[in-house]
Amino acid sequence: MEPKASKSVRVRFAPSPTGPFHLGSARAALFNWIYARQQNGVFVLRIEDTDKERSKKEHEDGILESLRWLGLDWDEGPDVGGEYGPYRQSEREPIYEKYLKELLEAGKAYYCYCTKEELEAQKEAMIAQGLPPKYSGRCRNLESAPTDRKPELIRFKTPEVKVEFKDMIRGSMSFDASLFGDIPIAKDLRSPLYNFAVVIDDELMKITHVIRGEDHLSNTPKQILFGKALGFSEPTFAHLPLILSADRSKLSKRYAETSLIEYEKQGYLPEAMVNFLVLLGWHPKGDREVFKVSELIETFDLKRVQKAGAIWNEEKLSWLNSEHIRSMDTEKLTALLKPFVIEKFPEADEKFLFKVVAVQKDRLRTLKEFADIAGFFFELPAYEWGLLVWNKEPQEKIKESLLATEEAFKNIPDGEFTKEKITDSLASLAEGLGRGVVFWPLRVSLSGQKASPDPVSIAETLGKEESLRRIEKAIKKLP
Ligand code: GLU
């Protein structure tokens, strides 16, 4: 399929399908995607499945599902039923083979016959001599191939040079390639290794900017050397800061290994996740933190991404989620909440659910929480009569208040049971008995709990009949 856009900026997200799709990968995908959208460029998705043992279809599916959930669409790829599929390295082996041959023929790469055990022994010998371990170069200049062994690897003849580049985030970088030794680039002509395949693909896919995690920083000089040896053009690099736990240690396993879909299951909105992930390393000029995706595309600035580690803050995620829930259109939110509600209250009515969502959406941190927090709307929970008592007031007074509230509600004509009418009907009562004595037991009788939206809103949402039923129940509870 032809690409949708063919503008100058071309970025890629290149995950390996070797495990569940984690947050660090999601952030790398997002930064690439935002940059592409902002620059009117192209976002390429490339599945790096050269590791045949560890790559799994289920993980690839997880990547695609997560990207779709986050709304990170890619712009080109093979046609699969009218959609773009991802590029897969496993389908490009003949391409890598061609370039491996080219390097071998030019004498820039060679077959290495050293076994694992021999490499281990070489390494130990170097360490014993106080040298930094690297490949000894034993097979570099073999006159002819040994007849008694098979090649183990293809190695790149690393030149003893300084590799320098300017990273968009980290500034001038310099590496001494003489420390690398001759780098393995393939197991055989059909099995390229990660560092090599990346370089070929980035060139052929005309990638202009390589935006990825800092954990890849040490790969970059190697990739630059391969590119130079093949006469490729060099992309611009931008290495995103590490994600750290609050105490600045490596991100704790609990979060680092939580797959993105887990957050979806917990009821986080993709909008909130995108907002949260982008703040892991980037900050706008002002204090503002809540952004819609369209605003991010406008405001984001790759040059403002920090070098220092980005701190993971679960509370911020939850706060951002509540902010995005609050600003979401109630109808859309209702549709998203429905599955969470149906799971617990299969009978829940859609119209009623919409009303409940409208009252409750300001108090929600996750979608999943909704069924717990707002469950009382669908089913009055059991509660002890003592909860109805406000501030150690005598229970007679509470009963009196509830009876008067019942009376007041009954006097509101059917069909006019609105917040305004309810408030008016309770005004003189609250004045006489005290606000607490009126509203506290009303809150508890309607919700069965201490914390809830204001009781008048609950009453309006429940409607006259159900409110009266719950108040009567409360009155009966009082001894
Ligand atoms: N496949 C690599 C990974 O999943 C990323 C490669 C890259 O971005 O250059 O870590």
Side-chain angles (χ1 to χ4, degrees), residues 12 14-16 46 48 194 198 210-212 215-216 223:
R12 87 298 197 273
S16 304
R46 182 172 78 220
E48 304 211 315
Y194 155 70
V198 162
V210 170
I211 305 169
R212 61 185 172 193
D215 46 327
H216 283 291
Q223 295 175 3

Side-chain angles (χ1 to χ4, degrees), residues 135-361:
Y135 177 59
S136 67
R138 197 172 84 164
C139 300
R140 196 183 231 240
N141 298 308
L142 292 180
E143 294 280 305
S144 56
T147 48
D148 56 339
R149 323 170 152 220
K150 280 207 217 113
E152 299 279 340
L153 281 175
I154 300 175
R155 284 185 191 272
F156 176 72
K157 275 190 193 166
T158 308
E160 305 222 325
V161 293
K162 261 213 169 79
V163 183
E164 289 175 338
F165 65 94
K166 208 161 156 35
D167 187 280
M168 273 178 96
I169 295 164
R170 311 190 61 83
S172 297
M173 304 299 300
S174 173
F175 291 84
D176 181 359
S178 68
L179 299 174
F180 298 162
D182 288 345
I183 307 159
I185 51 176
K187 288 193 199 146
D188 54 56
L189 286 175
R190 280 296 175 118
S191 313
L193 292 169
Y194 155 70
N195 267 326
F196 185 73
V198 162
V199 174
I200 308 302
D201 286 341
D202 285 346
E203 166 74 9
L204 297 182
M205 296 177 184
K206 298 191 168 57
I207 300 303
T208 56
H209 295 74
V210 170
I211 305 169
R212 61 185 172 193
E214 195 186 298
D215 46 327
H216 283 291
L217 194 55
S218 60
N219 290 323
T220 302
K222 298 175 185 170
Q223 295 175 3
I224 289 177
L225 288 174
F226 304 159
K228 281 207 165 101
L230 288 162
F232 292 170
S233 52
E234 195 177 304
T236 301
F237 292 93
H239 288 91
L240 306 172
L242 294 176
I243 304 175
L244 305 175
S245 298
D247 63 359
R248 303 204 153 259
S249 61
K250 208 166 158 255
L251 187 61
S252 80
K253 279 213 158 187
R254 178 164 159 234
Y255 296 127
E257 293 189 357
T258 307
S259 74
L260 196 70
I261 291 307
E262 203 42 55
Y263 281 91
E264 179 185 5
K265 284 196 200 133
Q266 292 302 317
Y268 287 87
L269 296 179
E271 293 86 342
M273 201 36 126
V274 161
N275 194 161
F276 175 70
L277 289 171
V278 81
L279 294 176
L280 285 174
W282 170 77
H283 296 278
K285 281 201 181 111
D287 293 336
R288 185 166 164 207
E289 292 198 293
V290 183
F291 291 91
K292 283 196 227 145
V293 177
S294 56
E295 295 166 331
L296 287 174
I297 292 172
E298 230 163 75
T299 328
F300 180 76
D301 183 356
L302 192 52
K303 292 200 194 82
R304 279 184 62 84
V305 174
Q306 71 196 40
K307 262 197 271 190
I311 309 287
W312 181 271
N313 181 343
E314 189 80 1
E315 261 164 45
K316 184 182 265 185
L317 172 58
S318 144
W319 171 72
L320 284 170
N321 205 43
S322 58
E323 291 292 317
H324 283 274
I325 289 176
R326 189 200 300 261
S327 61
M328 184 175 263
D329 168 66
T330 306
E331 205 154 329
K332 193 172 165 200
L333 186 58
T334 305
L336 289 178
L337 284 167
K338 205 171 142 191
F340 290 91
V341 173
I342 295 295
E343 204 178 301
K344 242 178 141 173
F345 306 102
E347 315 271 275
D349 170 80
E350 190 136 347
K351 266 203 193 134
F352 180 59
L353 176 59
F354 177 84
K355 285 197 214 161
V356 175
V357 173
V359 189
Q360 199 75 57
K361 74 189 233 192

Side-chain angles (χ1 to χ4, degrees), residues 24-63:
S25 308
R27 185 192 58 163
L30 176 64
F31 277 52
N32 277 287
W33 182 85
I34 291 190
Y35 191 61
R37 292 294 165 264
Q38 170 180 81
Q39 303 290 322
N40 244 318
V42 173
F43 176 66
V44 171
L45 172 62
R46 182 172 78 220
I47 302 290
E48 304 211 315
D49 53 355
T50 49
D51 185 336
K52 288 169 195 147
E53 267 143 51
R54 292 175 58 227
S55 297
K56 299 258 155 32
K57 170 83 168 70
E58 73 199 71
H59 297 316
E60 182 188 305
D61 291 345
I63 293 168

